[in-house]
Amino acid sequence: MHIPKSESSALDILRFEEALAASGCSGAYDPDTWLYVPDFYTEYRYILGRKGKNPLICIGINPSTAEPDNLDNTLKSVSRIAAGNAYDSWIMFNVYAQRATRPDDMDREMNRTLHAENMAAFEYILSHVGEGIRPAVWAAWGAIIEKRPYLKECVKDMVQLGERYNAVWLKAGQCSKKGHPHHPLYLRKDEKTEPFDIQNYLEAL
């Protein structure tokens, strides 16, 4: 369980570029296998994933407690789905970077500094897939997106960034009655990803 110690606006937020430059230096995990930014446990997380040329980029709402070699059940499911759909790796990214096991504990108002650095992280991910590969972005946040009004704005920014890199948006499993893409938990291990119309989804959200 991770309960934020304060609103993230009270934190000294490490810029993504600085956190990335230091990633892998802690000695706590294999940096040739894992991408973990920041590479220490703190109140926010930009990226957690396995390195590869053709990753499945899974998008949740906000990070919880997972770390390299210590995955939670959501990340274990992400790993299985990525492998089952012939991706050589996976990356867990989030609409909002603040760690909170219970989404009800997230910031009441968007921390725009944290959001800007999170978008820098997303652009890094999009720009570092293998040559000639369109980034595969799996929308997987479920109904939790309704927890905060600013989350829709965050997704819109992600979609705009994705357009620059010709990203393909995907879903796995059935969408909810309101059209929300299925969360990774409780999906069959052989669940296949399918195209997801992110623009129509945002218009209806």
Side-chain angles (χ1 to χ4, degrees):
M1 177 71 71
H2 187 100
I3 300 173
K5 296 177 182 177
S6 66
E7 292 286 306
S8 68
S9 57
L11 303 175
D12 185 12
I13 301 295
L14 186 63
R15 294 181 61 242
F16 170 71
E17 287 187 2
E18 296 175 24
L20 178 65
S23 181
C25 296
S26 68
Y29 61 91
D30 180 3
D32 292 329
T33 299
W34 293 98
L35 180 62
Y36 184 42
V37 188
D39 77 343
F40 54 90
Y41 194 93
T42 188
E43 292 292 310
Y44 55 94
R45 188 186 76 210
Y46 297 127
I47 303 172
L48 172 59
R50 306 274 294 191
K51 291 185 175 180
K53 295 294 185 181
N54 184 27
L56 179 58
I57 305 164
C58 181
I59 312 296
I61 284 295
N62 68 305
S64 187
T65 60
E67 300 175 281
D69 301 313
N70 185 25
L71 302 182
D72 57 20
N73 288 335
T74 294
L75 272 293
K76 290 176 182 177
S77 181
V78 170
S79 179
R80 288 192 296 266
I81 298 298
N85 283 272
Y87 292 93
D88 70 357
S89 53
W90 56 268
I91 292 174
M92 189 70 214
F93 188 74
N94 291 278
V95 175
Y96 197 64
Q98 183 187 30
R99 260 196 172 101
T101 301
R102 299 179 305 204
D104 284 334
D105 293 331
M106 284 192 297
D107 289 338
R108 293 291 173 182
E109 303 291 334
M110 183 200 296
N111 180 339
R112 294 197 174 273
T113 298
L114 183 61
H115 174 59
E117 297 306 323
N118 202 40
M119 291 302 96
F122 189 51
E123 184 158 20
Y124 173 84
I125 294 169
L126 295 172
S127 65
H128 281 75
V129 299
E131 185 175 354
I133 298 174
R134 296 177 66 183
V137 182
W138 171 18
W141 47 74
I144 303 172
I145 197 168
E146 298 181 6
K147 290 290 183 179
R148 297 288 185 267
Y150 60 76
L151 295 172
K152 179 179 178 180
E153 181 180 343
C154 295
V155 173
K156 285 183 175 179
D157 289 345
M158 294 174 62
V159 171
Q160 288 182 348
L161 272 176
E163 289 174 350
R164 297 184 199 172
Y165 295 92
N166 205 21
V168 178
W169 284 83
L170 305 168
K171 68 179 182 70
Q174 293 295 317
C175 291
S176 72
K177 291 182 179 179
K178 291 186 177 181
H180 299 309
H182 203 294
H183 190 277
L185 275 178
Y186 311 121
L187 288 174
R188 300 192 317 269
K189 64 180 180 180
D190 61 346
E191 192 78 59
K192 297 303 180 184
T193 56
E194 303 174 83
F196 180 58
D197 192 332
I198 190 68
Q199 294 291 356
N200 280 351
Y201 170 75
L202 287 175
E203 289 173 6
L205 189 61

